[in-house]
Amino acid sequence: MTGLRTCCAVPLFGADADWLVRIAVELDGETAHYQLVVAARQAAVVADAPATALIARVRASDGEMLLLDAVYDATFRARLGSALARGDVYAHGGARWHVRHVGYLRTMSLDVPARLGRAEQSNSSILYGETAILKLFRRLEAGENPDVEIGAFLTGRTQFRHVPRLLATVVLETEGDEPMLAGMLQELVPSSGDGWSDVLAKLRPYIAQEGVPVPFLDEARALGHITRALHAALADAQGVANFTAEPVDATMAQGWVDTIEHEITTTLSDLRARVEGGALAADVTREVDALLVRSARVFERLAVIRKALADGAGYRIRHHGDFHLGQVLRTLDGTFVVIDFEGEPARPLQVRRQKHCPLRDVAGMMRSFGYAAAVTQRDATGQGVSVASASARARVWDERVCAVFVEAYLTPPPSEPQPFLPASQDATRALLELFLLEKAFYELRYEINHRPDWLWVPLVGIQALLEGT
């Protein structure tokens, strides 16, 4: 069963030309809520909105009107900036859409040109000059959003400064429902781009030709130290219950292994069924067959991991939850800023807010290095570099950059207030391998459903893990 209904509509900015609409979409018994901002404009004055912004055409007494996705409208973006600066509240029919200042916004001006972010995202980003960036959430969820929760904690209660400052939130409240986060305004950090772009730019010359020094090692070391400092800050609760580090006993650690073992078993069964059904291309089938032949080795590794975690696994804390090169910005002074603590959007909000082992973030970044190596290797071979040469250099880079990153991460600063990793190096190593396996098999599931031609990337990562590299 499918269905769509309007839950509420709130006029914004004291006029009837701009509206916030909350829509409920029902699909197969599940209901999801979405925020749509709508601008009504005369067709004659709309010149720069793309075709994708058009929602509907409406005939009116004074001419044709267009209903637009309002984020594409310059007038709407300017009005929204003024509303954010003032801390406006708009209400209608039992619904309230209101701005809450966090504390830093009073020192900034949003009376500047506003532009729409270019990145394709599940949310919309509006940039106000070089001052602030608004993330306008498309999907609305009841409860506390971890991006706001963690951002406010880090900037308000800790000395960790490698995150943008939180300036304001926009909340939608309707009678009978929990409040829903509609938007968050953050400091805009001047940057040269994200870590992914930075790595690719530096990696291409190295993969393409002999004699180029291995790039990004100093950056990986800095990123390792920053990641460790991030986790240390999140583990130091400052009296906030939602951030208190909690010990992981043997039962919980074994539960992690059980869950990941089940996910791996399911993934291998799916792969086997697709091979037997002839659903994969011949070259991909050969690669998958090689993994299936060696699949017993995966479970042997899990058994070793299980034994190493027999006495527990350090602490579980709040962590990033979706940590990769695209989630760090390279600032103009050469350091890194961590962004987007929302977690994996496909997971329920309560799951994304759960405490877990911080080494999941470390594994996520390591696998991101692996993908960067794979992308660069593919591009180089497409430009005439031999497969053997590009593959060898990509593997060397991946191994070296991961080693430098992990070594830096595992070196705690003298002032670290709360230990959160296991005291045993064997347990730490086992946890990291466990979450690398979890991430690589997650990637297998994603690629087989969306990009079968990319299956080789996680397959190479799994092979390296099984070889102990």
Side-chain angles (χ1 to χ4, degrees):
M1 294 290 292
T2 60
L4 186 149
R5 57 187 170 85
T6 300
C7 300
C8 67
V10 180
L12 304 176
F13 319 132
D16 289 333
D18 302 289
W19 289 74
L20 172 281
V21 182
R22 177 181 145 203
I23 297 171
V25 178
E26 297 177 6
L27 179 63
D28 298 330
E30 300 288 334
T31 302
H33 295 268
Y34 294 90
Q35 173 179 224
L36 181 63
V37 284
V38 180
R41 301 289 186 264
Q42 287 188 330
V45 301
V46 176
D48 57 349
T52 52
L54 180 63
I55 298 172
R57 296 178 182 272
V58 180
R59 294 190 181 279
S61 58
D62 55 350
E64 185 181 48
M65 301 288 292
L66 301 182
L67 297 185
L68 304 173
D69 183 340
V71 297
Y72 292 96
D73 181 73
T75 300
F76 174 86
R77 296 194 296 267
R79 290 172 177 170
L80 181 58
S82 297
L84 291 168
R86 291 190 301 262
D88 283 359
V89 178
Y90 303 102
H92 181 75
R96 296 175 75 246
W97 193 84
H98 59 104
V99 177
R100 295 173 175 172
H101 287 179
V102 173
Y104 298 105
L105 186 58
R106 61 180 177 269
T107 65
M108 298 182 174
S109 171
L110 299 184
D111 186 19
V112 291
R115 62 192 187 278
L116 190 62
R118 294 180 180 179
E120 293 184 7
Q121 300 170 320
S122 54
N123 305 306
S124 295
S125 297
I126 300 175
L127 288 72
Y128 288 92
E130 304 304 321
T131 300
I133 179 170
L134 172 70
K135 181 190 290 187
L136 200 63
F137 292 95
R138 293 295 192 173
R139 182 166 182 175
L140 301 175
E141 296 178 272
E144 194 158 12
N145 185 289
D147 205 0
V148 167
E149 184 183 18
I150 293 177
F153 177 83
L154 289 173
T155 57
R157 292 180 174 269
T158 78
Q159 297 303 309
F160 185 76
R161 291 296 174 261
H162 294 272
V163 288
R165 291 185 298 178
L166 182 65
L167 305 176
T169 61
V170 184
V171 179
L172 177 63
E173 296 177 343
T174 53
E175 292 180 355
D177 295 323
E178 280 191 76
M180 296 179 173
L181 183 70
M184 61 181 293
L185 186 73
Q186 291 176 293
E187 173 188 26
L188 181 61
V189 178
S191 75
S192 58
D194 61 24
W196 176 260
S197 301
D198 190 45
V199 164
L200 293 188
K202 291 173 177 170
L203 193 52
R204 287 187 186 108
Y206 167 77
I207 298 293
Q209 62 190 63
E210 299 279 358
V212 176
V214 179
F216 206 75
L217 295 182
D218 290 340
E219 294 91 333
R221 185 175 294 106
L223 190 54
H225 288 308
I226 288 170
T227 305
R228 178 67 179 237
L230 167 66
H231 291 157
L234 291 173
D236 187 16
Q238 302 287 318
V240 181
N242 288 337
F243 287 85
T244 301
E246 299 176 1
V248 177
D249 59 21
T251 300
M252 180 174 290
Q254 299 304 313
W256 289 348
V257 181
D258 290 341
T259 298
I260 293 170
E261 186 173 47
H262 174 72
E263 292 172 351
I264 291 174
T265 301
T266 302
T267 302
L268 290 171
S269 296
D270 184 31
L271 285 172
R272 189 172 290 108
R274 294 189 186 225
V275 169
E276 293 172 352
L280 301 176
D283 56 338
V284 176
T285 297
R286 287 194 297 272
E287 294 173 349
V288 172
D289 275 335
L291 172 61
L292 294 174
V293 167
R294 301 187 66 194
S295 60
R297 177 66 174 154
V298 176
F299 297 101
E300 291 171 5
R301 294 305 309 157
L302 288 172
V304 173
I305 292 169
R306 190 183 293 278
K307 184 176 180 181
L309 301 181
D311 295 327
Y315 291 80
R316 59 176 182 154
I317 65 171
R318 299 299 293 272
H319 62 303
H320 189 282
D322 188 24
F323 200 48
H324 54 77
L325 285 165
Q327 305 287 40
V328 293
L329 300 178
R330 192 72 194 274
T331 64
L332 298 181
D333 63 2
T335 187
F336 292 98
V337 167
V338 183
I339 60 172
D340 196 359
F341 289 86
E342 194 176 354
E344 294 183 18
R347 295 180 182 270
L349 194 64
Q350 63 270 26
V351 173
R352 288 184 271 138
R353 293 187 65 232
Q354 289 176 353
K355 298 168 186 173
H356 211 295
C357 178
L359 288 171
R360 294 182 89 196
D361 285 348
V362 177
M365 185 58 70
M366 292 173 70
R367 289 300 306 140
S368 189
F369 291 143
Y371 265 76
V375 168
T376 313
Q377 174 186 332
R378 179 204 60 188
D379 292 347
T381 55
Q383 296 172 4
V385 180
S386 74
V387 173
S389 177
S391 176
R393 283 199 287 274
R395 181 163 184 168
V396 167
W397 179 83
D398 189 15
E399 291 177 0
R400 289 195 62 183
V401 79
C402 282
V404 167
F405 171 72
V406 172
E407 181 184 16
Y409 179 84
L410 293 179
T411 305
S415 59
E416 187 169 274
Q418 165 67 48
F420 50 86
L421 293 181
S424 160
Q425 291 185 6
D426 287 343
T428 298
R429 187 180 301 110
L431 281 171
L432 184 54
E433 184 177 357
L434 176 66
F435 295 123
L436 282 167
L437 284 169
E438 177 190 38
K439 187 69 174 177
F441 275 91
Y442 168 84
E443 292 161 2
L444 268 183
R445 291 192 297 277
Y446 179 87
E447 302 299 5
I448 200 169
N449 289 315
H450 298 90
R451 300 184 301 186
D453 290 345
W454 281 78
L455 266 177
W456 67 276
V457 182
L459 286 171
V460 167
I462 293 169
Q463 177 183 339
L465 283 170
L466 298 183
E467 293 174 354
T469 57

